[in-house]
Amino acid sequence: MITLERQSILNSEISAADSQVEIFAAMRRVAHEFGFRHVTLFAATTPDEVLISRMIVDTTLPAAYVQEFDRRRLLRLCPVAPVTSRSVLPYCWSLDDPENVRGFAVPAAMEELQRRYELITSVAMSLNSIDGDRFMLRFDGIRPRLSQVEINEIGMIALHAFDVFDKIRRSVKTVAAGPLSSRELEVVRWTAQGKTSAEIGRILSLSDHTVNAYMTNAIKKLDCVNRTQLVAKALRLRLII
């Protein structure tokens, strides 16, 4: 169980964050403290979206997992979003739960992939911005199901973290979008997370050549000399958060 002292420390780290990088670092700490291995923030897209990679704002999930999930088009089979969209409270489940306890059936292909990457127990929470944009925060790992006390605690911390994240996000939206196209921003954002051109290409379903072309354009537009300087300048300008 999370102690009040530890919860206070986590909330202090979240409050001190002033960028997406910092807020997500705090969320990784939250995941660790609750015994989860991964945390992901998703942005809601169009109902006909088929690629989970396009929904990810930030994640610690293995790139190989995301790629295979998309290659097998498992998003259209995912039973989680309809469940979490019906409540503002965190929803916890485990693949080891009977279906009647879990509350939904898990397609065999999805269960096999989840178990292979040890994503056995999860908790997810729908989050809504005051400007109408919708998100979902999800934690995954191999721990036992959360107790109700833990669910309540992680829910409060998640709300605090999202409130800080959303203030940062909306402040950026009030500034002009900047010189980079949406695709260039995607490439720079993934580069900031340490992905190579080949990895970004697989995530975005683009060729290495196309990814490098977007990167070269972004470097020229922001008057940089290399990728490292590009990422640093994009973060400083808050073109990516």
Side-chain angles (χ1 to χ4, degrees):
M1 182 184 299
I2 287 278
T3 65
L4 289 177
E5 179 182 6
R6 197 177 306 170
Q7 187 172 342
S8 176
I9 292 172
L10 292 173
N11 281 325
S12 295
E13 290 184 14
I14 291 168
S15 295
D18 62 2
S19 70
Q20 180 178 330
V21 172
E22 292 182 2
I23 194 67
F24 207 73
M27 292 313 298
R28 287 196 298 271
R29 170 77 181 275
V30 173
H32 173 76
E33 293 295 340
F34 278 88
F36 288 106
R37 295 182 178 180
H38 302 290
V39 57
T40 306
L41 180 64
F42 299 96
T45 56
T46 60
D48 58 350
E49 179 61 80
V50 296
L51 298 178
I52 197 173
S53 57
R54 293 176 182 165
M55 301 174 62
I56 292 174
V57 176
D58 214 335
T59 187
T60 63
L61 288 169
Y65 167 82
V66 175
Q67 292 157 15
E68 185 169 350
F69 192 99
D70 280 351
R71 180 177 59 79
R72 299 167 72 175
R73 294 297 193 267
L74 294 178
L75 182 58
R76 61 188 177 184
L77 304 177
C78 186
V80 175
V83 175
T84 58
S85 66
R86 293 195 292 266
S87 175
V88 296
L89 300 176
Y91 191 85
C92 182
W93 71 95
S94 172
L95 293 179
D96 294 331
D97 289 338
E99 183 179 329
N100 64 322
V101 173
R102 190 189 312 125
F104 52 82
V106 180
M110 183 175 295
E111 179 168 354
E112 184 278 326
L113 183 64
Q114 298 282 116
R115 289 190 180 279
R116 184 156 28 105
Y117 282 91
E118 297 186 327
L119 310 178
I120 308 300
T121 301
S122 306
V123 60
M125 184 176 184
S126 290
L127 298 159
N128 297 302
S129 169
I130 61 173
D131 64 7
D133 289 342
R134 296 180 296 112
F135 298 82
M136 182 174 75
L137 185 65
R138 175 166 167 166
F139 298 89
D140 295 279
I142 198 170
R143 58 151 289 163
R145 286 181 97 256
L146 275 70
S147 68
Q148 189 58 54
V149 170
E150 289 176 307
I151 292 173
N152 293 342
E153 288 173 337
I154 203 169
M156 289 187 291
I157 293 172
L159 281 174
H160 181 198
F162 180 74
D163 182 62
V164 174
F165 162 81
D166 199 44
K167 287 176 181 175
I168 295 170
R169 183 186 68 89
R170 285 185 286 107
S171 70
V172 172
K173 285 178 67 176
T174 62
V175 180
L180 303 187
S181 69
S182 59
R183 210 49 150 169
E184 289 163 353
L185 285 170
E186 281 186 295
V187 169
V188 175
R189 190 174 292 115
W190 282 110
T191 301
Q193 294 182 39
K195 305 299 182 185
T196 65
S197 291
E199 290 172 331
I200 296 170
R202 288 192 291 270
I203 292 169
L204 300 179
S205 299
L206 300 172
S207 69
D208 293 5
H209 175 76
T210 301
V211 170
N212 287 330
Y214 283 127
M215 186 65 64
T216 299
N217 289 341
I219 288 172
K220 289 179 179 178
K221 287 180 178 181
L222 292 189
D223 193 26
C224 297
V225 297
N226 55 38
R227 296 186 178 202
T228 301
Q229 186 182 12
L230 172 66
V231 168
K233 191 167 186 178
L235 287 169
R236 187 170 69 251
L237 296 176
R238 292 197 169 184
L239 297 177
I240 56 174
I241 60 171

